[in-house]
């Protein structure tokens, strides 16, 4: 499946292409900018974070190592300045980007991969056909100009210093260090050319480069391979670059992708939709970290949106896909949370609670990374106060929920005993200390729910039912003889009794005419409805409504609906229908996290049109840049949501009392869907065709 | 007089050379980085300011337009990467920088000027002698990568956006706009070469460039001229570049410099000292603004220290030199203050006072530009609170003092009637509202004096005597029949009476054994003295002293002494001597503003050794990078101080009751000094030789 951009001169959708064409391997990522033009984007590496103004810590825009500069007879080849025709192709089946540039001076073509198995390797193969004879000069630079955007794009932060530059007969090597001194990173590159050339290495301060000088004939083809090494201990790899079989490496990479697709691909009779759905899966697969140094940031390795921070997007939206396809990758992501239990405990204790409270935004170190304020103007005089870090507490229950989901699919007892139960227990302890007794019930005051329009609210529906479920999970595992021994080691009898009492007396917001109140007092707010449930975002709202939006019933994203989707067994179809119809008219979908749960529930309720159209919208969130911020990275949550709409929504796959079930509700204009998933160490194929679903165990 | 740097490879003192070799013309400035290497420094233009985090507004590091890149047979000429020998010469008599680079591949030489009369013009003439035949490519770029350093160097602010790029047959043109939209600036460049070449224009986003391709012979000399235009309405200048007589323009520039030196040069028998003194005068002359859009910033057009803000450094340290040599330039600087009387009044009123309160730090718009806090770490968690903007009030009296000094030298009645008196009167009104009656006297509470170690002090000596003098000046001009009509238009009879009463009852800090207390309670502080009065700065202090420095008697810079120097007629030689001996032992000179007043008073008191050695230190503040921050720009105040040490200190030139006097006190190891100055429209030559001083009226 291929995605093509074509243009003359410079790419009119440069920033979008840059994100869509990002290649990554769960360790490092390179944005999709063409290599022969300057770019502000360098190399993003999982775990390579540094302190930054306002946003605490952020993933570093490291040096650029994919760039190449070409000079023919002294004139630099800058396609955007020429009447050059460019065609670029992202091939998601093979995990590569191909570029073809046809210009009056030369023809250029290239293939780029970020090796999906060899985590330190990227390769750029390129061919130049000069249209005049003479002198061809190739620059192979490591560029140290790349910086991170701060609260506005014009304020930039350079997070690294050069520690070492070294010239090798076969390449150039650099080592950088973050400003805080916590991390070092090596980047090296080697340009290979079979033929006569003269080579010089130059150090220009912000560029360290190999220069190749070649006398070329007109219309002959000159082929180059650029090897890129990123990571630690990569010096040794520069020594034997000449023996590297480039094509074999690329083949290996393509084979690895074939293996991934063998499991991950979603086949849909509607080929446009199939392409879009798998585009999302491709970027999810690229984003899954190889080690638990970090989990998937909200915008992947694809941009600086949300600064490389990890949100509930990961556990609630992206993780289910991995749980059901590559549970070993899901486990790595949950281990990231386990590894930061200590910081989550410190966080709870700092806020006056027990147990573990996960930060709303989490960086490499597991501490709260949400800014408490962000300047609105460059001089920093006007600032907006951000409350999510202090109030959006549901993340802690979301993580516990994800741990349980992982176990339900995988049956990974070892994980639960060693890691998972501790997360569930410590988060439950947080909730037990977080709730307050109001004389009748246990309530949760002053939170932000999934819906972020309403701050400082009491008894948010989503938060309350998820918190209650978090506490319930401890009781569930306590009752399970397989785990009782572990649970009683970590929780006292008294705590268990306390949890029971809280669960039994947990306050759930009132229900009027079958509709749950999103939080205390929500029903008393000014009513507002959206014109059209198929439009998204806030632009369509009148300015005066937008200004007082927190005082209206408008909802940014699924909250009651999200809760009902996650804990579907607790609600009747009638309840779902009433709440769906009520809230969908009041939801702006200004968050990219909103449509997926609505689409899932729409499928369950048989609202085929909504289910289908929301799926199409979600699958195209980045391809069509629906939220206007694709430049800041790939929408990880929506991508996970796309898969969930199909899996949980359309195919209705579910685990009930430990048994796999499916209740397909596929919109009629989709004739056929098939996909694979894993359940309890077994691979299944789900084949839906003309109203019938088969789940076939494969091995 | 020439200043030479020589090095192999890259300049070991790059940042220092960059400041020392800055060329400017009172409109724009280009730092002294060599043109054939990359540089983070672009073009600084007076008045081209923009909003910035923490520091309110700052002078913009504009695009770089001096850069040139050379490629010989495909390989870029990067001297720092080669075993290239570089010799660079700053010729202050001719206002030019010459560079000679000898390398294995080519010989390069250049001459650079920033035209001192044609404010929009800079010229780079260069010659290349290739050591092999083949293809020579010259890049003539306008680089749009330059950014400003923020609170740490790694946080950068890019203050401009490109508005327009245009290619001309004879050059390249760009227009940029500050982020706040307040200013636009044009930059254009044209590379001239007589000979066969091919020319291409490329747009690389952050670079817009002309590329020249020339087939060269070995060992032949190729000569280029680069014309640079900076400012407004410069398009038209690109049209006739071919007719520009480069050498004539350079000659014109050199002649203009000769005329400046004709008046400004200080001749000293000690030629090393003479060179250093005139080095300071050279940079002062380059910094004097051509229009009152701004006054001289604390670090000139030479760097980003203090963000291009104007302090009392200008009026009290730099201005006397201009008053006595080029009073028309002094007038422009005072007009900058006059033009911002409105903002100074708003400032006073905002702080609850009457009249005009000048901001401690002033940018292009005349509002207070002092940060109230600055982050100490990149994440901005730790901040240091800055009180100078709120408390260092003496600036307002300093400006009034400077206006009076201007008048005393020039007798410019027209200026006083139209502008000067209004400044003196409005600032006096400020003080009248600022003082408080303590039952016995008028006092000034909660200030920072010239000595910045002690914050929130009451009755700072320097502030009180300057404030009193500010009020007294109104009375003085009121008594002068030439000005009475203007004064009574702006001040009520009651105010005059009030001013009188305050002046008569102004509290001056107590004197014990002849020593004035720097502020109330100073004498009760822990006593500390410095080991060696010839060492400067804080590095020599024990850490524990440094930590509690505000609680000791240590003084950062001349305060009592500064006041006595400025208002010398009010103090007896005995008082001066006692205070000098007391305070010099307690002054760290951690501010570059400290040594000049001490040196002046040392001369008056006949402390020849101190006077001489302080002068030498001051004259070398940048040449020897004595404060370690020459990279942030030229020390304008010290430079002005150097001239004052000689003029007011050594030669003892003074105006007493409207008559020119002189009491030379030149240290014996200086045999001869001569300089020129203007007094009341007449040019004088002061010739000191072997203990005798003559003042000769010239015309």
């Amino acid at each position: 499946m291929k995605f093509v951009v074509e243009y003359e001169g410079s790419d009119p959708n440069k920033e979008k292409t840059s994100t869509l064409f990002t290649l990554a391997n769960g360790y490092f990522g390179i944005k999709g900018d063409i290599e022969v033009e300057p770019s502000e984007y360098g190399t993003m590496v999982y775990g390579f974070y540094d302190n930054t103004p306002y946003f605490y810590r952020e993933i570093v825009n490291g040096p650029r190592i994919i760039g190449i500069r070409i000079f023919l007879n002294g004139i630099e080849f800058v396609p955007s300045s020429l009447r050059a025709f460019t065609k670029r192709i992202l091939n998601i089946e093979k995990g590569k980007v191909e570029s073809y540039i046809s210009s009056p001076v030369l023809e250029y073509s290239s293939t780029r991969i970020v090796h999906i198995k060899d985590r330190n390797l990227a390769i750029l193969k390129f061919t130049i056909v000069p249209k005049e004879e003479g002198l061809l000069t190739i620059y192979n630079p490591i560029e140290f100009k790349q910086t991170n955007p701060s609260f506005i794009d014009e304020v930039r932060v350079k997070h690294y210093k050069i520690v070492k530059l070294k010239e090798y007969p076969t390449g150039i090597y650099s080592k950088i260090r973050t400003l805080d001194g916590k991390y070092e990173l090596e980047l090296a590159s080697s340009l290979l050319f079979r033929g006569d050339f003269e080579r010089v290495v130059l150090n220009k301060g912000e560029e360290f480069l190999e220069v190749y000088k070649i006398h070329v004939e007109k219309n002959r083809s000159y082929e180059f391979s650029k090897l890129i090494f990123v990571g630690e201990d990569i010096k040794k790899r520069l020594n034997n670059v000449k023996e590297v079989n480039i094509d074999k490496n690329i083949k290996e990479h393509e084979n690895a992708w074939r293996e991934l697709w063998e499991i991950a691909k979603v086949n849909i009779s509607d080929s446009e939709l199939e392409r879009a759905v798998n585009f999302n899966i491709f970027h999810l697969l690229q984003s899954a970290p190889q080690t638990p140094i970090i989990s998937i940031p909200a915008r992947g390795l694809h941009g600086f949106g949300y600064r490389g921070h990890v949100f509930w997007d990961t556990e609630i939206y992206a993780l289910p896909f991995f749980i059901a396809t590559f549970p070993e990758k899901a486990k790595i992501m949950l281990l990231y949370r386990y590894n930061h239990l200590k910081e989550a405990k410190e966080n709870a204790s700092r806020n006056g609670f027990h147990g573990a409270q996960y930060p709303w935004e989490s960086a490499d170190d597991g501490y709260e990374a949400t800014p408490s304020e962000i300047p609105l103007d460059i001089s920093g005089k006007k600032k907006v106060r951000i409350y999510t870090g202090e109030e959006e507490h549901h993340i802690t229950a979301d993580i516990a929920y994800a741990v349980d989901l992982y176990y339900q699919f995988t049956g990974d007892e070892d994980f639960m005993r060693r890691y998972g139960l501790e997360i569930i227990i410590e988060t439950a302890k947080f909730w037990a200390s977080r709730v307050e007794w109001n004389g009748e019930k246990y309530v949760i005051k002053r939170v932000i729910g999934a819906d972020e329009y309403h701050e400082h609210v009491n008894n948010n529906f989503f938060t309350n039912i998820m918190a209650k479920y978090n506490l319930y999970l401890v009781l569930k595992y306590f009752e399970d003889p397989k785990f009782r021994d572990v649970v009683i080691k970590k929780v006292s009898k008294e705590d268990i009794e306390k949890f029971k009492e809280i669960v039994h007396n947990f306050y759930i917001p009132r229900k009027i005419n079958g509709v749950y109140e999103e939080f205390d007092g929500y029903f008393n707010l000014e009513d507002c409805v959206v014109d059209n449930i198929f439009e998204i975002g806030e632009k369509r709202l009148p300015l005066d409504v937008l200004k007082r939006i927190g005082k209206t019933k408008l909802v940014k994203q699924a909250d009651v609906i999200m809760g009902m989707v996650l804990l579907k067994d607790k609600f009747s179809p009638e309840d779902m229908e009433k709440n769906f119809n009520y809230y969908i008219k009041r939801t702006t979908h200004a968050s990219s996290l909103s449509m997926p749960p609505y689409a899932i529930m729409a499928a369950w309720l048989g609202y085929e049109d909504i289910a289908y159209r929301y799926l199409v919208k979600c699958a195209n969130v980045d391809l069509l840049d629906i939220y206007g911020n694709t430049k800041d990275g790939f929408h990880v949550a929506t991508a996970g949501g796309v898969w969930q709409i199909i899996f949980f929504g359309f195919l209705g796959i579910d685990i009930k009392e430990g048994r796999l079930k499916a209740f397909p509700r596929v919109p009629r204009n989709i004739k056929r869907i098939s996909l694979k998933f894993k359940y309890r160490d077994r691979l299944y194929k789900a084949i839906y065709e003309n109203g019938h679903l088969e789940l076939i165990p494969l091995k």
Side-chain angles (χ1 to χ4, degrees), chain A residues 123 125 192 225 227 244-251:
Chain A
I123 295 172
K125 241 185 103 162
L192 303 176
S225 298
L227 288 169
V244 173
N245 184 330
I246 303 286
D247 291 331
K248 198 178 141 211
N249 265 283
I250 295 179
K251 194 50 84 185

Side-chain angles (χ1 to χ4, degrees), chain A residues 511-550:
Chain A
K511 189 156 76 164
I512 293 182
N513 300 326
V515 179
Y516 285 104
E517 187 171 32
E518 197 189 277
F519 51 83
D520 292 353
Y522 171 85
F523 284 149
N524 305 330
L525 298 177
E526 175 195 348
D527 201 10
C528 269
V529 294
V530 296
D531 293 344
N532 180 343
I533 60 163
F534 295 109
E535 266 185 68
I536 62 155
E538 291 160 354
K539 278 193 192 144
R540 56 195 163 143
L541 298 177
L543 250 177
D544 61 310
V545 171
L546 206 53
K547 272 186 194 156
R548 61 174 196 279
I549 204 155

